[in-house]
Amino acid sequence: MSATGTTAARAAGPAPGFLRRALRAGPYAWIVWGGVAFFLVNLAALILSVVVNSFAVNWFDSWLPSAFTANWYAEAWREFNLADVLLVTLIVALVVVALSLLLGVPAAYALARRDFAGKRAVLLLLMLPVLLPPITYGIPLATLMYKIGLAGSLAGVIAVNLVPAMPFVVLVMTPFIEQIDANIESAARMCGAGTRQVFTRVLVPLLIPGILAAAVLVLVRTVAMFELTFLVAGPDSQTLIVALYSAAFTPGIRAAQAIDAMAVIYTLLSAVLLVIALSFVNPTQIVAQVKEVSPE
Amino acid sequence: MAEPRTASTPSTPAAAPARPAERAPEPAPAGAPASGAARPPLRHRLAERGIDRMLLLLLPAVATLIALFLYPMLYGVGLSLQPRSGGIFANYVAFFTDPYQSGTVWKTMRLALPAALFNVLASVPIAYRLRGRFRGKRLLTAILVLPVTLGTVLVADGILRYFGPRGWFNRVLLELGLIDEPLRLIYNYWGVLFSLIITGFPFAFLLVLSYMSGIDPTLERAAATLGAGPWQRIRRITLPLLAPGLATTFILSFVLAFSVFPSANLVGEPADETRVMAIAAYQAAFEKYDYTMASTIAVLMGAFELVVIALVLLWRGRMYTGHTGGKGA
């Protein structure tokens, strides 16, 4: 049975492993693969219907729109000031990444290398922003920001996005640093390296994969972070996702197709980020890294 | 002797680590016994508890979190206890006595719990099929993880188009003769649930897959050698080892689903069926400008979420939590 299955698969050419597995598996496996296929087909159709609509002149009661146009993209670009919005998104995301790395990596180092009284309290403080819903701390934080006049500014948006991003960096980086043998640092010191040299010549080169992974993940999360940015952003400081939500939540003012065009642009941006992320990070491994510091 | 150095370090924390540890085992300086026999310098006593200058590296991160997270949270709790009228708990009493407000708790749970549970349970058999190495695994994983990047708004948009009365989903069902009139799947509970599953499933799947890959496959092979069938292996070996990871995944999925806000507004019925706590808090703050009530709802939101997390953790504490023998452990 299985022999004929494998020969058939071999004859059919280099079929991917999961297909070959599915072919020789029992009924239970068919149910699982059927479920996956159902999910993926619906998902693809869901995305496709947004893409199709963004190119449609008009689309009402039919399988496909009667005519296609690319004008909605130009309109979305003009109407929503996408050039400005994209610039803001980029600035916010990059500054948040840089700041959370600068603050988070040293903290992760101290947490990885030292056991001290009060460590649990520090860990709890780092864990809470990741665990609590963003609205919970976002509303008091936004209230404060409106009071001191930071709300609506780029600085305010960056500050609120730091709250979940920085602890995330610490939680990802701590197990990374724990993996690095402390003896390497001692050896460098024996050879006369100062602390600065230990950091720049020994630790940072060893940590580059972890730092890159954390940076890319924070970038993706910040671009996708809706609630916090939404609560404090002003007209000049909204990121793409907030602009998209505002447009989608006030339907009728803009054409639905233009909103869809913007949504497609957003998805393309995130997809590019994800592809970059996946080329740096093996997704299952990065979660395994997070897992070790997950709540106990 | 020690004093000048301690005083000079805060400006140059880079020069700190490792030295106190070297010095810790040294006996107290010769001058010490004269002043106080059993009292080594404070710095040494702190170093014994693991507190030394390396902890200065923690300072910027902790200070940032205190300023941007802890202080606002406490400020919010304080604000919630200073209602516009009535005693200090007036806001909480108002929340629980007004069914329009207290109903949001149930509406949030009704969405978040099934969504999180479904995402975790559906991930298990798929991840079980995908454990181990084979060609195409990376591609399939990437496809399953892709929806993470979609973002709530695109998913909401897509749900409105695809599951709408004239969308492809209803059209196919009508053509096949399975239904006589379009199913109502948007602007109600189902639309929000779908969006939570689409955005939450990839995340849950990724976590479950990584826990699953962390289980040493030789354990299962050993069970097979001892005569266990496939179902027995799953039930007696894989699931018990996976359970703590599933609990963690459930918590994180629940956190994601619990803060549902954009999709509840866009594809739900924000005035009634899907008026979740986040919407209630947002309306109180930015539509009624009642910041004390908004803080009350925000605090309650955090509290209810933490209760669920605590319950799951309690249950998880009763399970095996050792390492699973694999590479991920």
Side-chain angles (χ1 to χ4, degrees), chain A residues 26-38, chain B residues 122-130:
Chain A
Y28 164 73
W30 279 103
I31 296 174
V32 172
W33 291 122
V36 173
F38 182 74
Chain B
S123 305
V124 174
I126 303 173
Y128 186 75
R129 290 277 142 204
L130 282 181

Side-chain angles (χ1 to χ4, degrees), chain A residues 32-47:
Chain A
V32 172
W33 291 122
V36 173
F38 182 74
F39 179 75
L40 289 180
V41 164
N42 278 299
L43 188 66
L46 191 150
I47 299 169

Side-chain angles (χ1 to χ4, degrees), chain A residues 162-193:
Chain A
L162 266 184
V163 177
M166 197 260 287
F168 184 77
V169 169
V170 178
L171 296 182
V172 171
M173 289 306 292
T174 306
F176 251 103
I177 297 174
E178 276 170 352
Q179 287 173 0
I180 293 174
D181 195 342
N183 288 334
I184 299 177
E185 289 161 50
S186 310
R189 279 181 201 285
M190 297 259 295
C191 298

Side-chain angles (χ1 to χ4, degrees), chain B residues 1-327:
Chain B
M1 236 188 96
E3 269 62 48
R5 182 178 279 172
T6 343
S8 73
T9 41
S11 54
T12 54
R19 284 202 191 122
E22 286 163 23
R23 293 176 61 101
E26 277 175 28
S35 53
R39 281 179 65 88
L42 177 69
R43 201 159 63 86
H44 287 190
R45 276 181 289 146
L46 286 177
E48 273 166 26
R49 292 168 178 243
I51 296 174
D52 59 33
R53 280 171 288 178
M54 191 195 276
L55 295 192
L56 288 175
L57 292 174
L58 265 177
L59 215 59
V62 170
T64 310
L65 274 188
I66 288 176
L68 290 176
F69 174 74
L70 199 61
Y71 174 67
M73 274 301 280
L74 295 177
Y75 174 79
V77 173
L79 210 56
S80 74
L81 296 174
Q82 298 161 21
R84 286 181 171 172
S85 57
I88 58 167
F89 291 115
N91 271 332
Y92 290 89
V93 173
F95 181 88
F96 283 108
T97 48
D98 181 0
Y100 189 55
Q101 298 284 34
S102 59
T104 58
V105 178
W106 163 240
K107 284 168 189 162
T108 314
M109 292 290 177
R110 207 168 70 109
L111 277 168
L113 286 175
L117 207 60
F118 175 86
N119 287 337
V120 174
L121 293 185
S123 305
V124 174
I126 303 173
Y128 186 75
R129 290 277 142 204
L130 282 181
R131 78 203 193 289
R133 289 171 183 282
F134 57 89
R135 230 142 51 86
K137 175 175 177 173
R138 207 170 161 136
L139 175 72
L140 193 62
T141 316
I143 291 174
L144 282 171
V145 170
L146 189 77
V148 166
T149 63
L150 292 180
T152 37
V153 181
L154 181 107
V155 170
D157 228 17
I159 285 177
L160 292 183
R161 310 260 171 279
Y162 179 64
F163 288 111
R166 285 163 185 168
W168 285 336
F169 187 76
N170 270 317
R171 270 175 185 284
V172 169
L173 290 187
L174 281 170
E175 291 285 320
L176 290 176
L178 290 173
I179 49 172
D180 294 328
E181 52 184 73
L183 296 173
R184 198 164 165 264
L185 296 171
I186 58 169
Y187 298 126
N188 61 7
Y189 174 81
W190 293 107
V192 183
L193 189 68
F194 289 153
S195 88
L196 287 180
I197 288 173
I198 291 171
T199 47
F201 171 76
F203 178 74
F205 169 72
L206 202 57
L207 278 165
V208 172
L209 183 64
S210 83
Y211 285 118
M212 192 78 87
S213 331
I215 296 174
D216 191 342
T218 54
L219 293 175
E220 252 188 278
R221 245 173 272 150
T225 317
L226 295 170
W231 280 111
Q232 268 183 309
R233 291 204 297 266
I234 292 175
R235 216 170 62 79
R236 310 290 283 272
I237 307 286
T238 309
L239 279 185
L241 287 173
L242 195 63
L246 290 186
T248 308
T249 313
F250 177 82
I251 289 175
L252 294 176
S253 305
F254 176 73
V255 168
L256 271 186
F258 193 81
S259 49
V260 48
F261 177 73
S263 58
N265 258 330
L266 291 174
V267 291
E269 196 184 0
D272 181 31
E273 203 180 14
T274 65
R275 188 171 184 270
V276 292
M277 292 184 88
I279 293 181
Y282 177 78
Q283 283 178 343
F286 297 103
E287 284 171 22
K288 293 184 196 141
Y289 299 102
D290 185 350
Y291 292 113
T292 73
M293 193 62 198
S295 303
T296 308
I297 302 175
V299 168
L300 285 171
M301 202 172 154
F304 276 107
E305 194 207 60
L306 290 179
V307 165
V308 173
I309 292 178
L311 288 177
V312 177
L313 285 180
L314 267 182
W315 174 68
R316 181 182 185 253
R318 295 170 49 201
M319 294 182 296
Y320 173 76
T321 48
H323 79 116
T324 47
K327 59 181 161 104

Side-chain angles (χ1 to χ4, degrees), chain A residues 7-291:
Chain A
T7 33
R10 217 171 275 149
F18 60 90
L19 276 183
R20 218 165 38 213
R21 270 194 170 200
L23 285 177
R24 63 174 145 84
Y28 164 73
W30 279 103
I31 296 174
V32 172
W33 291 122
V36 173
F38 182 74
F39 179 75
L40 289 180
V41 164
N42 278 299
L43 188 66
L46 191 150
I47 299 169
L48 196 64
S49 51
V50 175
V51 175
V52 167
N53 196 39
S54 74
F55 284 106
V57 175
N58 255 324
W59 189 11
F60 293 116
D61 201 1
S62 56
W63 282 97
L64 282 175
S66 46
F68 292 94
T69 169
N71 287 342
W72 298 115
Y73 283 85
E75 185 174 328
W77 191 268
R78 250 183 306 113
E79 282 282 300
F80 300 117
N81 271 330
L82 277 193
D84 291 349
V85 172
L86 280 174
L87 186 67
V88 169
T89 310
L90 202 68
I91 293 174
V92 168
L94 290 181
V95 174
V96 167
V97 168
L99 281 180
S100 51
L101 285 179
L102 267 177
L103 294 169
V105 174
Y109 180 76
L111 283 173
R113 288 284 187 253
R114 282 285 182 277
D115 247 335
F116 53 92
K119 186 174 179 179
R120 292 182 76 92
V122 173
L123 280 178
L124 185 70
L125 184 66
L126 287 167
M127 207 73 87
L128 274 180
V130 181
L131 278 186
L132 284 176
I135 293 265
T136 306
Y137 55 87
I139 284 187
L141 184 57
T143 313
L144 269 178
M145 293 235 162
Y146 277 104
K147 235 178 190 172
I148 58 175
L150 256 181
S153 69
L154 213 54
V157 172
I158 291 168
V160 289
N161 274 296
L162 266 184
V163 177
M166 197 260 287
F168 184 77
V169 169
V170 178
L171 296 182
V172 171
M173 289 306 292
T174 306
F176 251 103
I177 297 174
E178 276 170 352
Q179 287 173 0
I180 293 174
D181 195 342
N183 288 334
I184 299 177
E185 289 161 50
S186 310
R189 279 181 201 285
M190 297 259 295
C191 298
T195 302
R196 184 177 302 254
Q197 277 175 307
V198 170
F199 253 95
T200 56
R201 308 277 290 272
V202 178
L203 274 176
V204 171
L206 285 173
L207 288 179
I208 281 291
I211 289 179
L212 273 178
V216 171
L217 288 173
V218 167
L219 193 70
V220 172
R221 284 168 59 104
T222 307
V223 169
M225 172 48 79
F226 171 75
E227 286 94 342
L228 292 174
T229 314
F230 177 63
L231 288 177
V232 295
D236 299 328
S237 58
Q238 51 184 350
T239 57
L240 187 53
I241 184 147
V242 175
L244 186 53
Y245 173 85
S246 313
F249 193 55
T250 46
I253 298 177
R254 319 265 189 223
Q257 293 94 322
I259 296 169
D260 282 355
M262 192 155 129
V264 170
I265 294 175
Y266 170 81
T267 309
L268 285 180
L269 177 73
S270 327
V272 167
L273 286 180
L274 182 81
V275 168
I276 297 174
L278 285 179
S279 63
F280 280 115
V281 193
N282 181 349
T284 55
Q285 266 172 18
I286 189 64
V287 186
Q289 302 283 5
V290 178
K291 159 188 127 184

